[in-house]
PDB file of all heavy atoms in Angstrom:
ATOM      1  N   SER A  58       4.487  31.918  15.242  1.00 92.00           N
ATOM      2  CA  SER A  58       5.639  31.906  14.392  1.00 92.00           C
ATOM      3  C   SER A  58       6.197  30.445  14.231  1.00 92.00           C
ATOM      4  O   SER A  58       7.284  30.296  13.687  1.00 92.00           O
ATOM      5  CB  SER A  58       6.819  32.720  15.131  1.00 92.00           C
ATOM      6  OG  SER A  58       6.405  33.991  15.382  1.00 92.00           O
ATOM      7  N   ASN A  59       5.510  29.512  14.820  1.00 94.00           N
ATOM      8  CA  ASN A  59       5.968  28.109  14.751  1.00 94.00           C
ATOM      9  C   ASN A  59       7.348  27.886  15.300  1.00 94.00           C
ATOM     10  O   ASN A  59       8.203  27.235  14.678  1.00 94.00           O
ATOM     11  CB  ASN A  59       5.809  27.605  13.367  1.00 94.00           C
ATOM     12  CG  ASN A  59       5.721  26.122  13.214  1.00 94.00           C
ATOM     13  OD1 ASN A  59       5.516  25.369  14.257  1.00 94.00           O
ATOM     14  ND2 ASN A  59       5.791  25.568  12.012  1.00 94.00           N
ATOM     15  N   VAL A  60       7.527  28.562  16.444  1.00 95.00           N
ATOM     16  CA  VAL A  60       8.819  28.548  17.144  1.00 95.00           C
ATOM     17  C   VAL A  60       8.706  28.127  18.580  1.00 95.00           C
ATOM     18  O   VAL A  60       7.711  28.345  19.253  1.00 95.00           O
ATOM     19  CB  VAL A  60       9.503  29.900  17.073  1.00 95.00           C
ATOM     20  CG1 VAL A  60      10.688  29.995  18.054  1.00 95.00           C
ATOM     21  CG2 VAL A  60      10.024  30.207  15.668  1.00 95.00           C
ATOM     22  N   LYS A  61       9.701  27.349  19.076  1.00 95.00           N
ATOM     23  CA  LYS A  61       9.794  26.944  20.437  1.00 95.00           C
ATOM     24  C   LYS A  61      11.121  27.450  21.044  1.00 95.00           C
ATOM     25  O   LYS A  61      12.106  27.273  20.466  1.00 95.00           O
ATOM     26  CB  LYS A  61       9.730  25.415  20.565  1.00 95.00           C
ATOM     27  CG  LYS A  61       9.487  24.893  21.998  1.00 95.00           C
ATOM     28  CD  LYS A  61       9.412  23.416  21.973  1.00 95.00           C
ATOM     29  CE  LYS A  61       8.268  22.770  21.246  1.00 95.00           C
ATOM     30  NZ  LYS A  61       6.903  23.114  21.836  1.00 95.00           N
ATOM     31  N   PHE A  62      10.976  28.130  22.123  1.00 95.00           N
ATOM     32  CA  PHE A  62      12.154  28.686  22.774  1.00 95.00           C
ATOM     33  C   PHE A  62      12.558  27.732  23.965  1.00 95.00           C
ATOM     34  O   PHE A  62      11.771  27.266  24.735  1.00 95.00           O
ATOM     35  CB  PHE A  62      11.883  30.080  23.471  1.00 95.00           C
ATOM     36  CG  PHE A  62      11.797  31.183  22.378  1.00 95.00           C
ATOM     37  CD1 PHE A  62      10.562  31.854  22.147  1.00 95.00           C
ATOM     38  CD2 PHE A  62      12.936  31.659  21.723  1.00 95.00           C
ATOM     39  CE1 PHE A  62      10.451  32.856  21.207  1.00 95.00           C
ATOM     40  CE2 PHE A  62      12.871  32.741  20.785  1.00 95.00           C
ATOM     41  CZ  PHE A  62      11.654  33.218  20.571  1.00 95.00           C
ATOM     42  N   LEU A  63      13.881  27.558  24.050  1.00 95.00           N
ATOM     43  CA  LEU A  63      14.537  26.835  25.202  1.00 95.00           C
ATOM     44  C   LEU A  63      15.291  27.815  26.059  1.00 95.00           C
ATOM     45  O   LEU A  63      16.095  28.601  25.444  1.00 95.00           O
ATOM     46  CB  LEU A  63      15.443  25.730  24.763  1.00 95.00           C
ATOM     47  CG  LEU A  63      14.918  24.718  23.742  1.00 95.00           C
ATOM     48  CD1 LEU A  63      16.063  23.734  23.426  1.00 95.00           C
ATOM     49  CD2 LEU A  63      13.702  24.042  24.202  1.00 95.00           C
ATOM     50  N   ILE A  64      15.096  27.829  27.304  1.00 94.00           N
ATOM     51  CA  ILE A  64      15.888  28.774  28.183  1.00 94.00           C
ATOM     52  C   ILE A  64      16.876  27.890  28.958  1.00 94.00           C
ATOM     53  O   ILE A  64      16.479  27.186  29.854  1.00 94.00           O
ATOM     54  CB  ILE A  64      14.860  29.593  29.138  1.00 94.00           C
ATOM     55  CG1 ILE A  64      13.839  30.133  28.412  1.00 94.00           C
ATOM     56  CG2 ILE A  64      15.658  30.671  29.969  1.00 94.00           C
ATOM     57  CD1 ILE A  64      14.092  31.121  27.367  1.00 94.00           C
ATOM     58  N   ILE A  65      18.160  27.982  28.640  1.00 95.00           N
ATOM     59  CA  ILE A  65      19.112  27.159  29.249  1.00 95.00           C
ATOM     60  C   ILE A  65      20.399  27.987  29.570  1.00 95.00           C
ATOM     61  O   ILE A  65      20.472  29.093  29.228  1.00 95.00           O
ATOM     62  CB  ILE A  65      19.534  26.070  28.215  1.00 95.00           C
ATOM     63  CG1 ILE A  65      20.092  26.587  26.926  1.00 95.00           C
ATOM     64  CG2 ILE A  65      18.334  25.131  27.995  1.00 95.00           C
ATOM     65  CD1 ILE A  65      20.408  25.528  25.914  1.00 95.00           C
ATOM     66  N   ARG A  66      21.325  27.268  30.190  1.00 96.00           N
ATOM     67  CA  ARG A  66      22.535  27.871  30.721  1.00 96.00           C
ATOM     68  C   ARG A  66      23.335  28.328  29.385  1.00 96.00           C
ATOM     69  O   ARG A  66      23.395  27.563  28.421  1.00 96.00           O
ATOM     70  CB  ARG A  66      23.502  26.993  31.487  1.00 96.00           C
ATOM     71  CG  ARG A  66      22.943  26.752  32.834  1.00 96.00           C
ATOM     72  CD  ARG A  66      23.814  25.831  33.608  1.00 96.00           C
ATOM     73  NE  ARG A  66      25.089  26.391  33.828  1.00 96.00           N
ATOM     74  CZ  ARG A  66      26.142  25.875  34.594  1.00 96.00           C
ATOM     75  NH1 ARG A  66      25.958  24.648  35.100  1.00 96.00           N
ATOM     76  NH2 ARG A  66      27.231  26.448  34.731  1.00 96.00           N
ATOM     77  N   ALA A  67      24.002  29.485  29.457  1.00 96.00           N
ATOM     78  CA  ALA A  67      24.740  30.069  28.374  1.00 96.00           C
ATOM     79  C   ALA A  67      25.784  28.958  27.800  1.00 96.00           C
ATOM     80  O   ALA A  67      25.952  28.904  26.581  1.00 96.00           O
ATOM     81  CB  ALA A  67      25.392  31.351  28.676  1.00 96.00           C
ATOM     82  N   THR A  68      26.443  28.307  28.704  1.00 96.00           N
ATOM     83  CA  THR A  68      27.491  27.417  28.398  1.00 96.00           C
ATOM     84  C   THR A  68      26.978  26.208  27.693  1.00 96.00           C
ATOM     85  O   THR A  68      27.700  25.463  26.915  1.00 96.00           O
ATOM     86  CB  THR A  68      28.255  26.954  29.687  1.00 96.00           C
ATOM     87  OG1 THR A  68      27.404  26.478  30.582  1.00 96.00           O
ATOM     88  CG2 THR A  68      29.095  28.160  30.156  1.00 96.00           C
ATOM     89  N   ASP A  69      25.616  25.949  27.737  1.00 98.00           N
ATOM     90  CA  ASP A  69      25.055  24.787  27.097  1.00 98.00           C
ATOM     91  C   ASP A  69      24.474  25.087  25.889  1.00 98.00           C
ATOM     92  O   ASP A  69      24.191  24.179  24.927  1.00 98.00           O
ATOM     93  CB  ASP A  69      23.917  24.184  27.987  1.00 98.00           C
ATOM     94  CG  ASP A  69      24.434  23.525  29.245  1.00 98.00           C
ATOM     95  OD1 ASP A  69      25.609  23.104  29.299  1.00 98.00           O
ATOM     96  OD2 ASP A  69      23.679  23.477  30.290  1.00 98.00           O
ATOM     97  N   VAL A  70      24.294  26.331  25.462  1.00 98.00           N
ATOM     98  CA  VAL A  70      23.623  26.705  24.233  1.00 98.00           C
ATOM     99  C   VAL A  70      24.490  26.147  22.964  1.00 98.00           C
ATOM    100  O   VAL A  70      23.735  25.579  22.013  1.00 98.00           O
ATOM    101  CB  VAL A  70      23.543  28.243  24.192  1.00 98.00           C
ATOM    102  CG1 VAL A  70      23.140  28.688  22.657  1.00 98.00           C
ATOM    103  CG2 VAL A  70      22.488  28.810  25.046  1.00 98.00           C
ATOM    104  N   PRO A  71      25.776  26.341  22.866  1.00 98.00           N
ATOM    105  CA  PRO A  71      26.414  25.850  21.652  1.00 98.00           C
ATOM    106  C   PRO A  71      26.317  24.364  21.485  1.00 98.00           C
ATOM    107  O   PRO A  71      26.301  23.881  20.403  1.00 98.00           O
ATOM    108  CB  PRO A  71      27.951  26.233  21.934  1.00 98.00           C
ATOM    109  CG  PRO A  71      27.899  27.402  22.837  1.00 98.00           C
ATOM    110  CD  PRO A  71      26.610  27.084  23.752  1.00 98.00           C
TER     111      PRO A  71
END
Side-chain angles (χ1 to χ4, degrees):
S58 304
N59 203 7
V60 166
K61 193 180 295 292
F62 286 109
L63 308 180
I64 312 300
I65 57 181
R66 289 182 61 177
T68 51
D69 290 336
V70 170

